[in-house]
Amino acid sequence: MLTAQDMSYDEARNLHSKWQKHQAFMAELASNKDWLDKIDKEGQALVAEKPELKPVVEQTLEDLQKQWEELESTTRTKAQCLFDANRAELFTQSCSALDVWLKNLEGQLQSDDYGKDLTSVNILLKKHQMLEHQMEVREKEVQSLQTQAQALSQEDAGLVEVDGQQRRVTDSFAMLQEPLKLRRQQLLASKEAHQFNRDLEDEILWIKERMPLATSSDNGKDLPTVQLLIKKNQVQGQTQSQVDGERQSVLTERLTELKELWDQLMAETDNRHVRLLEAHRAQQFYADAAEAEAWMGEQELHMMSEEKAKDEQSALVMVKKHQILEQALEDYAQTIHQLANSSRLMVTSEHPESERITLRQAQVDKLYAGLKDLAEERRGRLQERLRLTQLKREVDDLEQWIAEREVVAGSHELGQDYEHVTVSLYKFREFARDTSTIGQERVDGVNALADDLIESGHPENASVAEWKDGLNEAWADLLELIDTRTQMLAASYELHRFHQDAMEVLGRIKEKKEALPSDLGRDLNTVQHLHRQHNTFENDIQALSGQVNQVQDDAARLQKAYAGEKAEDIQKSEHAVTSAWEGLLEAGKSRRLLLLDTIEKFRFFNMVRDLMLWMDGVNLQIDAHDSPRSVSPH
């Protein structure tokens, strides 16, 4: 803004320089207009992103737009003022300065220096390009002078000098256009000549340097070397094609030597390319064969592994891994087939190394066939090991199952009482039945597996037979334990049942004894009633005689099977029952006799009472006859 407001243009001194500076300032201002537009877009984006900033942003953009418009207006005003201030002087200075520059340019264009080599020609061309750029800039000044001259002529028709100056400058500018183009053409022609000479020398030298490579008989000893040589040969051929496309016509016409060298190099390059392709095919085959042999060597190490599975799980894992290896081996047949096709094609086409290729293919085929045989053998070994581990697992599981059953069958717990031994005997009989059914089936299954392995000639036949014998012995021991414990529980059941029966009989005897009443009645009727009840009671207890006899018989039988403390317990129980029974019988007998005596007693009392009553009646009668009847009125 300060530059635009500078008003020191009223002096004619340096007026033209100020005019040029102001023109440059206006151009700079126009280029910065995009910057203002960019700021406006960023402000709009900021408002869209943060609406709360809209008042501040819009106010800032509005102020900036006003300042920009004011700057543009001030700049245009200053330009007009510079133009208006001493127009004629400004016009004269501009014409004079432009005329001096044109004369200087004319002198440069008359130079006959077109460069002595390619480097100096390029320097002169760059200088000429700068002059052409300056001419474009000065052309705008010439157009501006034409506009100024027209304006001055309209203001003062007498200014003939102004029109003459403008025409002289315009004519001089137009006259320099053709020399400028001519010098450019001459410089380009000089550059082309120098460039051609250098290219010619470079091409001949390049061909001579590459001729030994094209005629080389080194086709590489391995695949990477051959591939590298092919790439080098392809790069050489591609470079030759580019040069041929660019200058073939010129070389054909003017350079016989170059053409002959070129044709020779192309032929040798093609021949070498064919040789390298053959070498590449052979080396590729050798590399593929070596890779196949390496892969099959790795697989062979797996196939020859002597590792043995320790259990069924690891055996299954090894079988599955081997199946994956066999599948990979089957899939690899495609690679072997491709190698065979490749070798057959090379041998058919009479490759220089046909004999070696045939030998290598035979080695690969033999190795693959041997690997498949190893895989089949290893599969058989793994299957045998799997069957062995499965049998071992079945044997171990069954032996563990038998051992767990032996813990139950070998228990010495025979019951703490009658109820306990009854439950134990029932459960053990269920246990024995399940064990016999399930166990026999499992033992038969394991024996069948073992027999199959033995009959098939398994390498571990001795171990299989040992496992089978051990299992059958364990099973026989378990059955014997079960039979023994069954008998022991049955005997314990008999013993506890005897004591239980004895206790029950003893309890019933005691109940009957306690049920004997001690009341003998208060009269004859009551006593007779009690006597009838006692007869019923004695008839009832006769039913206990069978139970008492059973206890006595069981005691006599059990005492033959037991001795020591248990025999004493049996005798005590039997004695308690017998004693209680005899006591009950004695008590019943005693009460019966006592009731009979009581009946006799009450009968006697009744006879006495009757006799006393009779005697009392007689006495009353006697007394009634003996007493005189009173006749007195008192």
Side-chain angles (χ1 to χ4, degrees):
M1 182 63 75
L2 294 176
T3 302
Q5 293 177 348
D6 182 14
M7 303 301 291
S8 60
Y9 50 80
D10 52 344
E11 299 179 1
R13 179 168 44 86
N14 296 326
L15 193 59
H16 180 67
S17 176
K18 292 180 179 180
W19 166 256
Q20 288 180 332
K21 289 181 179 180
H22 191 69
Q23 290 293 327
F25 175 75
M26 292 178 67
E28 180 182 358
L29 189 63
S31 64
N32 288 332
K33 185 66 165 60
D34 293 338
W35 188 25
L36 181 65
D37 295 338
K38 181 180 179 182
I39 293 175
D40 184 68
K41 291 180 180 179
E42 291 178 352
Q44 297 299 331
L46 182 60
V47 169
E49 183 179 356
K50 297 182 178 181
E52 65 274 10
L53 299 178
K54 182 177 180 180
V56 177
V57 174
E58 289 184 347
Q59 182 63 40
T60 302
L61 293 176
E62 184 179 355
D63 295 343
L64 186 61
Q65 186 66 31
K66 288 181 179 180
Q67 292 178 10
W68 182 264
E69 292 175 354
E70 182 179 355
L71 177 60
E72 285 185 332
S73 176
T74 303
T75 301
R76 287 194 297 270
T77 301
K78 181 177 180 179
Q80 187 63 37
C81 291
L82 282 172
F83 182 75
D84 292 341
N86 299 318
R87 290 186 182 182
E89 183 66 24
L90 178 61
F91 178 79
T92 301
Q93 290 180 6
S94 298
C95 289
S96 177
L98 188 56
D99 189 51
V100 171
W101 183 83
L102 290 172
K103 288 180 179 180
N104 184 29
L105 176 61
E106 184 179 3
Q108 296 181 27
L109 294 177
Q110 292 177 355
S111 173
D112 57 355
D113 181 12
Y114 299 110
K116 298 179 180 180
D117 52 29
L118 187 60
T119 302
S120 59
V121 171
N122 288 330
I123 293 175
L124 291 174
L125 271 174
K126 288 183 179 180
K127 290 182 178 180
H128 190 77
Q129 289 174 354
M130 294 176 62
L131 291 176
E132 288 179 336
H133 179 67
Q134 292 176 3
M135 282 291 288
E136 292 177 357
V137 175
R138 295 296 182 175
E139 185 178 5
K140 295 181 180 179
E141 293 187 17
V142 171
Q143 294 174 356
S144 177
L145 286 176
Q146 291 176 350
T147 303
Q148 294 178 25
Q150 185 178 2
L152 290 173
S153 299
Q154 291 176 356
E155 292 178 359
D156 189 352
L159 294 178
V160 179
E161 184 180 356
V162 171
D163 185 59
Q165 291 176 348
Q166 182 267 329
R167 288 182 179 277
R168 185 175 66 255
V169 170
T170 302
D171 293 342
S172 298
F173 189 83
M175 291 174 63
L176 288 178
Q177 293 292 336
E178 188 63 26
L180 189 67
K181 293 181 181 179
L182 180 60
R183 181 165 176 79
R184 178 180 181 80
Q185 293 174 357
Q186 291 171 341
L187 287 173
L188 290 174
S190 176
K191 178 181 179 181
E192 185 175 358
H194 287 297
Q195 184 68 52
F196 176 78
N197 291 331
R198 174 179 288 184
D199 292 344
L200 180 60
E201 294 175 359
D202 291 345
E203 291 298 328
I204 294 174
L205 179 62
W206 185 89
I207 292 174
K208 290 181 178 180
E209 289 176 350
R210 282 156 178 75
M211 188 64 73
L213 180 62
T215 58
S216 174
S217 60
D218 179 15
N219 297 329
K221 297 180 180 180
D222 53 30
L223 183 61
T225 306
V226 173
Q227 291 175 336
L228 180 61
L229 291 175
I230 289 176
K231 288 182 179 179
K232 289 183 177 180
N233 198 62
Q234 288 174 344
V235 171
Q236 178 172 309
Q238 291 172 355
T239 307
Q240 293 167 0
S241 299
Q242 293 172 356
V243 174
D244 182 65
E246 295 172 358
R247 298 184 178 83
Q248 184 63 41
S249 59
V250 177
L251 296 177
T252 303
E253 294 175 0
R254 300 179 61 187
L255 305 170
T256 303
E257 180 185 2
L258 180 62
K259 180 65 170 62
E260 292 176 353
L261 290 173
W262 182 262
D263 292 341
Q264 182 183 357
L265 180 61
M266 289 292 291
E268 293 295 341
T269 301
D270 292 341
N271 292 335
R272 179 166 173 75
H273 183 67
V274 172
R275 293 195 303 272
L276 289 176
L277 286 179
E278 290 182 350
H280 180 268
R281 289 177 62 191
Q283 294 298 334
Q284 183 66 58
F285 171 78
Y286 296 147
D288 293 342
E291 183 180 350
E293 288 177 343
W295 184 85
M296 288 188 285
E298 293 178 359
Q299 305 309 309
E300 187 176 11
L301 292 177
H302 293 298
M303 301 302 177
M304 297 177 65
S305 174
E306 297 295 333
E307 180 184 2
K308 293 184 178 180
K310 298 180 180 180
D311 52 31
E312 182 183 7
Q313 185 62 34
S314 57
L316 282 172
V317 171
M318 292 182 69
V319 168
K320 289 181 180 178
K321 286 183 178 179
H322 185 76
Q323 290 174 348
I324 295 173
L325 290 177
E326 283 194 305
Q327 184 60 48
L329 186 60
E330 290 295 328
D331 296 340
Y332 207 73
Q334 182 65 27
T335 301
I336 303 299
H337 182 67
Q338 291 175 355
L339 278 175
N341 288 339
S342 178
S343 63
R344 184 171 57 256
L345 289 175
M346 285 189 285
V347 172
T348 303
S349 63
E350 298 181 354
H351 193 280
E353 300 184 22
S354 294
E355 184 176 352
R356 183 185 174 190
I357 291 171
T358 301
L359 179 60
R360 294 288 286 122
Q361 182 61 43
Q363 292 174 347
V364 171
D365 292 339
K366 182 178 180 181
L367 183 59
Y368 184 72
L371 186 60
K372 292 196 70 174
D373 292 339
L374 284 176
E376 185 175 355
E377 293 176 3
R378 185 167 188 266
R379 182 175 68 251
R381 293 197 305 271
L382 291 177
Q383 290 292 345
E384 288 180 349
R385 191 66 185 178
L386 177 59
R387 292 175 64 192
L388 183 67
T389 55
Q390 288 175 340
L391 175 63
K392 180 60 175 174
R393 189 257 303 164
E394 291 287 346
V395 169
D396 290 343
D397 290 348
L398 189 50
E399 287 182 344
Q400 178 65 29
W401 182 82
I402 290 174
E404 293 173 355
R405 296 279 166 161
E406 283 180 347
V407 173
V408 178
S411 174
H412 297 288
E413 175 61 46
L414 299 178
Q416 300 174 0
D417 52 35
Y418 175 71
E419 293 181 357
H420 186 198
V421 74
T422 301
V423 174
S424 298
L425 180 59
Y426 173 77
K427 289 183 177 180
F428 190 75
R429 283 174 177 171
E430 292 289 328
F431 166 82
R433 183 169 56 254
D434 293 342
T435 301
S436 178
T437 302
I438 298 173
Q440 191 61 55
E441 181 179 354
R442 293 185 64 181
V443 169
D444 292 342
V446 173
N447 285 334
L449 289 176
D451 292 338
D452 288 342
L453 288 178
I454 294 173
E455 291 174 1
S456 64
H458 196 279
E460 302 289 340
N461 276 349
S463 298
V464 173
E466 183 180 353
W467 298 343
K468 177 183 175 183
D469 293 341
L471 177 63
N472 289 327
E473 289 177 4
W475 175 243
D477 292 342
L478 176 61
L479 292 179
E480 185 177 351
L481 277 175
I482 291 175
D483 185 58
T484 300
R485 178 160 172 74
T486 302
Q487 294 177 10
M488 292 175 64
L489 283 173
S492 178
Y493 172 78
E494 292 293 332
L495 179 61
H496 283 288
R497 188 181 66 176
F498 164 74
H499 289 297
Q500 179 72 15
D501 292 345
M503 290 178 62
E504 289 181 358
V505 172
L506 185 60
R508 290 175 183 175
I509 292 173
K510 290 181 179 180
E511 288 178 359
K512 293 297 182 179
K513 189 173 183 179
E514 291 174 356
L516 283 174
S518 58
D519 185 15
L520 296 178
R522 298 179 180 179
D523 51 33
L524 180 61
N525 290 332
T526 305
V527 176
Q528 289 176 340
H529 175 70
L530 290 174
H531 184 263
R532 289 192 298 272
Q533 288 182 338
H534 186 73
N535 289 334
T536 303
F537 173 78
E538 285 185 329
N539 290 331
D540 290 340
I541 65 173
Q542 288 302 317
L544 288 174
S545 63
Q547 297 179 8
V548 172
N549 293 333
Q550 184 64 45
V551 170
Q552 291 172 345
D553 293 341
D554 290 340
R557 178 173 53 81
L558 290 173
Q559 281 182 338
K560 296 177 181 179
Y562 293 96
E565 184 178 352
K566 290 186 177 180
E568 293 177 359
D569 292 339
I570 294 171
Q571 186 177 5
K572 288 179 182 179
S573 297
E574 187 271 336
H575 180 69
V577 172
T578 301
S579 298
W581 174 247
E582 291 175 353
L584 178 60
L585 292 177
E586 184 64 29
K589 180 179 179 181
S590 299
R591 179 168 174 75
R592 184 177 67 254
L593 295 175
L594 185 59
L595 286 173
L596 290 174
D597 290 342
T598 304
I599 289 173
E600 292 299 324
K601 181 183 73 170
F602 279 114
R603 283 177 179 174
F604 172 73
F605 288 158
N606 286 339
M607 290 175 62
V608 171
R609 185 180 65 247
D610 291 340
L611 183 58
M612 290 296 293
L613 288 174
W614 177 77
M615 290 175 65
D616 288 339
V618 172
N619 288 328
L620 287 175
Q621 291 177 2
I622 293 173
D623 290 338
H625 291 290
D626 290 339
S627 298
R629 180 177 295 178
S630 178
V631 295
S632 174
H634 304 292

